[in-house]
Amino acid sequence: MTAKLVEGDGRVREGLAEALPIPKPAKDGKSSTGERAEVFYNPAQVFNRDLSVLVLSVFGRLRSKELEEAQERRRQKAAKAEKAPSSSSRPAPPLGLVVFEALAATGIRSIRYAKELGPGTRPAAEGIRKIVANDLEPSAVAHMRRNLEHNEVSSSLVEVSCDDANGHMYSRRARGPGSRPELAYDVIDLDPYGSCSPFLDAAVQAVVDGGLLLITSTDMPVLGGNNPETCFSRYGGAAPKAGGLS
């Protein structure tokens, strides 16, 4: 799938989503809406987002089957004990996945998730129940809200957050002291500009057991051994020279 310009007005159509043009800065560095134009959209990542949608669709089916089998095992265990499930027994989790996009920028990925995997597109247990689309930059969040409104995506399906990604994820740890497993995510999507290593620790702690991490790094030459010092500073290790990644 490729991103296509729509009617020559700067809008970009990708999958079932459509992104509005990013406001261009005026001479004073401000956009026409009074915000700095620092929103990032990379059309080269279209294939990456296509893969993410595909992987999430498969994961939703697998996750639904796993939860259904777990509930059946609990019912069988209760039947063997010859007792009805008590009111204190663990309730069945809500149907559908809860997804966190940590660095959403224009929100195009979250909009695609909502329109291609959200309610009405597949059985509720296999689809997406809620998405939290986050970015630290206020201008990106404002543009994201415009894109969501333009695509008629409900705020009850996609919640917009303007927060530090790591702080947000640490506040929703799935396990350990002070954890809040009821707020942890089934899926966390990391697509930073460059290395994802600053976000990995928080992401691992905020995803539920059996959940899914979608990770994109755009610094592959560093991992190919071209810059061993940079590789060590970012990843804590050294990579051998790989000619195909130069």
Side-chain angles (χ1 to χ4, degrees), residues 75-156:
R75 286 193 292 268
Q76 292 177 357
K77 185 176 180 180
K80 287 181 180 179
E82 296 182 349
K83 64 179 182 180
S86 66
S87 59
S88 62
S89 61
R90 184 188 307 176
L95 298 178
L97 301 171
V98 180
V99 180
F100 178 59
E101 186 183 3
L103 306 128
T106 62
I108 189 73
R109 187 186 296 265
S110 288
I111 293 170
R112 288 194 60 182
Y113 287 166
K115 299 192 75 169
E116 298 177 35
L117 301 173
T121 63
R122 61 204 61 239
E126 300 178 7
I128 291 176
R129 173 164 54 93
K130 184 176 181 179
I131 303 166
V132 177
N134 178 76
D135 203 283
L136 183 62
E137 176 59 47
S139 64
V141 171
H143 189 62
M144 196 190 314
R145 292 186 191 277
R146 289 192 291 270
N147 282 330
L148 287 165
E149 182 179 358
H150 176 73
N151 285 271
E152 299 180 344
V153 177
S154 169
S155 58
S156 62

Side-chain angles (χ1 to χ4, degrees), residues 119-200:
T121 63
R122 61 204 61 239
E126 300 178 7
I128 291 176
R129 173 164 54 93
K130 184 176 181 179
I131 303 166
V132 177
N134 178 76
D135 203 283
L136 183 62
E137 176 59 47
S139 64
V141 171
H143 189 62
M144 196 190 314
R145 292 186 191 277
R146 289 192 291 270
N147 282 330
L148 287 165
E149 182 179 358
H150 176 73
N151 285 271
E152 299 180 344
V153 177
S154 169
S155 58
S156 62
L157 175 57
V158 178
E159 175 188 335
V160 177
S161 168
C162 185
D163 200 359
D164 174 75
N166 280 334
H168 181 97
M169 290 186 285
Y170 279 130
S171 71
R172 293 171 177 247
R173 287 181 296 166
R175 58 197 70 84
S179 62
R180 303 182 69 184
E182 73 280 2
L183 298 180
Y185 292 102
D186 299 299
V187 179
I188 293 179
D189 192 306
L190 299 175
D191 184 10
Y193 185 78
S195 173
C196 64
S197 61
F199 307 98
L200 290 178

